[in-house]
């Protein structure tokens, strides 16, 4: 009981820290550039609502709000209603700010989020050790033998070229297309070269549709070996990448596990890559009574990471493609179901923190890229709205009507607040009141295939 409480406390601290750093960096960008440009700063807040802590220093109120869903920097000279005689800036006789300076301040927040994302992406790559396959093709790494996908003819090593009329270049795009398409048709090129089309049923988890029973191509990087195991006797080392086992090219860790389980007590040829060179050795799977299956004694490194700029690009394209689907009539409904609010973000971050520091940093990188891009949307209240308004003033050399701007700004604030409340309600309903669809579990089949899970030790 105490151990569980300590674990949950650790995870909670990690969630609040990583999310808080994301918000802090964004608001710090606004704050620093605003001070550099000579703007008056009234407050710097992380969180909303009543203050858990606050202090006024040199006329600026610094505080931490009780609701950790965002933050703000109070800049009266950036108020869209600054032209009104009764506005705060007018009553305080604050000097007007040029459009260029307003644009710089508005851009500063997203710029800092992108800088943080790049730093985090490099940290992930430096410490990840296990690297993801290059993008450009969607290769199936494993298919559960009792799944609809297997029954339809999908096999390990097949390439999914399109979903409907959309070409997919990586597994993230494939997941997004299958989640948002009304009736996804998979265009598959099999290992032998023949091409087929197939419709596969989808399950749903937390409002997001997915095709069960399949997983992506991944590399088999060795993290370590069990003492006395066949893998240790074969001389396998940390960092080795396994290429083939028993004459079969390996397409995933799950694939390797299934081969090991189906060929117990056989001496199998193992081809691996070590420091750029190919090494051949042999291993013999042995049945382990404790786990109830055959093992060769490998501990996998399951942290598949991409190169830093590939991480940033993948995160950016994910949100861009989702936004595109939200405005596409045939895909908007399904895409809207995949959108999560603050509760979903906290829930996902909670799961990633439980998965380890690299996994948590990966989601933090995704969060920073998404926050940057969403804030650049030309919507009033967001940074993009401030930039659009400042560009209007810069081009026309006159400020927009403060009456019109006030109406648009207030209406947008109400709509965004309503969306915030709706997404929060839907996330709470999904997390606490709806039972997620059960994920199918692989059962032994006539082919002697057995259950496998990503990250297990074969």
């Amino acid at each position: 009981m105490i151990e569980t409480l300590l674990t949950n406390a650790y995870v909670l601290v990690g969630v609040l820290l990583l999310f808080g750093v994301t918000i802090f960096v964004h608001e710090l960008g606004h704050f620093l550039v605003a001070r550099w440009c000579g703007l008056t700063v009234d407050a710097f807040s992380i969180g909303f609502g009543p203050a858990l802590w606050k202090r006024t220093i040199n006329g600026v109120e610094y505080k931490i709000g009780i609701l950790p869903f965002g933050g703000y920097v109070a800049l009266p000279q950036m108020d869209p209603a600054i032209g009104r005689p009764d506005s705060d800036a007018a009553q305080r006789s604050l000097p007007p700010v040029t459009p260029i300076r307003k644009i710089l301040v508005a851009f500063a927040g997203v710029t800092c989020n992108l800088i943080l994302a790049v730093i985090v992406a490099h940290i992930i790559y430096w410490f990840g050790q296990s690297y993801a396959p290059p993008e450009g093709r969607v290769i199936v790494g494993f298919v559960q033998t009792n799944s609809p996908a297997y029954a339809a003819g999908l096999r390990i090593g097949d390439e999914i070229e399109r979903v409907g009329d959309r070409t997919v270049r990586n597994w993230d795009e494939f997941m997004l297309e299958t989640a948002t398409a009304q009736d996804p048709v998979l265009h598959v090129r099999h290992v032998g070269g023949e091409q087929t089309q197939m419709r596969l049923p989808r399950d749903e988890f937390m409002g997001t549709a997915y095709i069960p029973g399949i997983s992506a191509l991944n590399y088999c990087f060795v993290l370590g070996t069990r003492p006395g195991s066949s893998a240790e006797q074969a001389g396998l080392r940390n960092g080795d990448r396994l290429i083939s086992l028993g004459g079969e090219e390996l397409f995933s860790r799950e694939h390797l596990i299934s081969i090991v389980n189906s060929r117990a007590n056989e001496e199998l040829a193992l081809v691996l890559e070590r420091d750029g060179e190919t090494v051949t050795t042999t291993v013999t799977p042995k049945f382990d009574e404790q786990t109830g299956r055959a093992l060769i004694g490998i501990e996998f490194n399951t942290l598949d990471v991409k190169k830093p700029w590939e991480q940033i690009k993948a995160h950016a394209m994910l949100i861009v493609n989702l936004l595109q689907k939200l405005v596409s009539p045939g895909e908007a409904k399904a895409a809207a179901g995949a959108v999560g609010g603050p509760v979903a973000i906290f829930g996902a971050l909670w799961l990633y923190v439980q998965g380890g520091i690299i996994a948590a940093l990966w989601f933090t990188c995704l969060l920073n890229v998404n926050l940057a891009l969403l804030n650049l949307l030309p919507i009033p209240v967001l940074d993009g709205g401030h930039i659009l308004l400042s560009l209007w003033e810069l081009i026309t050399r006159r400020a927009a009507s403060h009456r019109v701007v006030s109406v648009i700004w207030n209406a947008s604030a109400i709509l965004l607040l309503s969306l915030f409340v709706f997404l929060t309600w839907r996330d709470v309903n999904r997390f606490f009141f709806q039972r997620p669809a059960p994920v199918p579990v692989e059962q032994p089949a006539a082919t002697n295939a057995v259950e496998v899970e990503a990250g297990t030790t074969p």
Side-chain angles (χ1 to χ4, degrees):
M1 180 65 178
I2 295 177
E3 184 178 350
T4 301
L5 290 175
L6 290 175
T7 300
N8 289 336
Y10 160 79
V11 174
L12 179 61
V13 170
V15 169
L16 293 177
L17 179 63
L18 292 174
F19 191 79
V21 166
T22 298
I23 300 302
F24 173 77
V25 164
H26 183 91
E27 302 306 335
L28 182 65
H30 290 315
F31 175 82
L32 293 177
V33 175
R35 296 298 290 265
W36 178 64
C37 289
L39 276 69
T40 298
V41 180
D42 286 345
F44 182 106
S45 177
I46 302 300
F48 300 112
L52 294 173
W53 172 90
K54 64 180 179 179
R55 179 173 297 177
T56 301
I57 303 174
N58 296 328
V60 181
E61 183 182 57
Y62 300 89
K63 67 177 184 177
I64 299 176
I66 195 171
L67 300 175
F69 297 137
Y72 63 90
V73 176
L75 303 169
Q77 291 152 297
M78 294 280 288
D79 186 347
I82 190 172
R84 285 180 3 200
D86 60 340
S87 68
D88 183 45
Q91 292 183 353
R92 293 163 61 182
S93 300
L94 296 177
V97 178
T98 64
I100 291 295
R101 293 188 178 188
K102 292 180 183 179
I103 292 173
L104 290 175
V105 172
F107 263 120
V110 300
T111 301
C112 284
N113 279 127
L114 289 176
I115 292 173
L116 177 60
V118 171
I119 293 173
V120 171
H122 278 83
I123 293 173
I124 293 170
Y125 188 73
W126 290 334
F127 293 96
Q129 295 184 348
S130 179
Y131 304 109
E135 294 190 356
R137 303 173 65 194
V138 178
I139 306 296
V140 177
F142 190 73
V143 185
Q144 292 182 352
T145 56
N146 67 338
S147 66
Y150 190 91
L154 194 67
R155 295 293 183 268
I156 294 172
D158 289 350
E159 179 180 357
I160 301 171
E161 296 181 326
R162 300 196 311 278
V163 177
D165 59 353
R166 300 283 183 89
T167 299
V168 288
R169 295 173 294 272
N170 55 60
W171 197 259
D172 289 340
E173 289 185 4
F174 165 72
M175 294 289 287
L176 182 61
E177 293 296 333
T178 54
T180 56
Q182 289 184 332
D183 184 22
V185 178
L186 273 58
H187 296 255
V188 178
R189 183 183 295 275
H190 295 287
V191 174
E194 64 273 20
Q195 294 178 288
T196 59
Q197 298 179 19
M198 57 183 69
R199 283 182 169 86
L200 300 178
R202 293 178 291 179
D203 282 346
E204 187 174 299
F205 181 76
M206 303 306 292
T208 302
Y210 70 99
I211 295 176
I214 63 175
S215 57
L217 168 72
N218 59 69
Y219 289 155
C220 301
F221 277 95
V222 177
L223 182 64
T225 58
R226 287 186 175 184
S229 66
S230 179
E232 184 188 54
Q233 293 169 6
L236 298 187
R237 305 175 190 170
N238 179 14
D240 288 348
R241 177 191 158 200
L242 309 188
I243 305 298
S244 69
L245 178 64
E248 293 188 50
E249 181 184 357
L250 296 173
F251 287 91
S252 65
R253 294 178 289 270
E254 300 92 332
H255 185 201
L256 183 146
I257 293 170
S258 67
I259 295 173
V260 168
N261 274 295
S262 64
R263 302 184 66 174
N265 300 318
E266 293 185 39
E267 186 177 69
L268 304 176
L270 176 64
V271 179
L272 58 95
E273 182 182 282
R274 176 184 296 160
D275 299 326
E277 298 183 357
T278 300
V279 178
T280 302
T281 184
T282 60
V283 292
T284 303
K286 299 292 184 180
F287 183 80
D288 181 75
E289 294 184 358
Q290 184 177 359
T291 60
R293 60 172 179 264
L295 304 174
I296 57 176
I298 294 173
E299 183 181 355
F300 283 133
N301 192 328
T302 60
L303 298 172
D304 296 328
V305 299
K306 303 174 183 178
K307 293 180 179 179
W309 287 109
E310 289 180 358
Q311 293 179 54
I312 301 298
K313 179 183 175 182
H315 295 330
M317 291 309 300
L318 185 64
I319 188 62
V320 168
N321 289 336
L322 181 59
L323 290 173
Q324 182 183 22
K325 292 178 180 300
L326 285 171
V327 297
S328 301
E331 301 171 313
K333 183 177 180 181
V339 174
V343 174
I345 293 172
F346 269 81
L349 188 52
W350 184 281
L351 294 176
Y352 279 101
V353 171
Q354 287 181 317
I357 184 62
I358 298 297
L361 288 176
W362 179 90
F363 187 78
T364 303
C365 183
L366 169 67
L367 188 61
N368 276 269
V369 173
N370 285 0
L371 180 62
L373 294 181
L374 289 175
N375 264 282
L376 284 177
L377 292 176
I379 298 174
V381 181
L382 300 181
D383 294 335
H386 284 284
I387 294 170
L388 185 64
L389 192 63
S390 299
L391 285 173
W392 170 272
E393 184 179 351
L394 183 66
I395 295 171
T396 64
R397 298 185 181 279
R398 60 184 178 85
S401 169
H402 61 80
R403 291 188 180 88
V404 174
V405 171
S406 293
V407 171
I408 295 175
W409 229 259
N410 291 335
S412 299
I414 292 172
L415 287 175
L416 285 178
L417 181 60
S418 300
L419 179 62
F420 176 88
V421 172
F422 168 74
L423 290 176
T424 300
W425 172 84
R426 190 176 68 175
D427 290 343
V428 170
N429 186 46
R430 286 174 174 175
F431 272 88
F432 299 106
F433 299 105
Q434 291 182 358
R435 288 182 177 269
V439 178
V441 177
E442 175 80 357
Q443 299 295 336
T447 57
N448 292 323
V450 296
E451 178 182 356
V452 296
E453 296 179 358
T456 30
T457 304

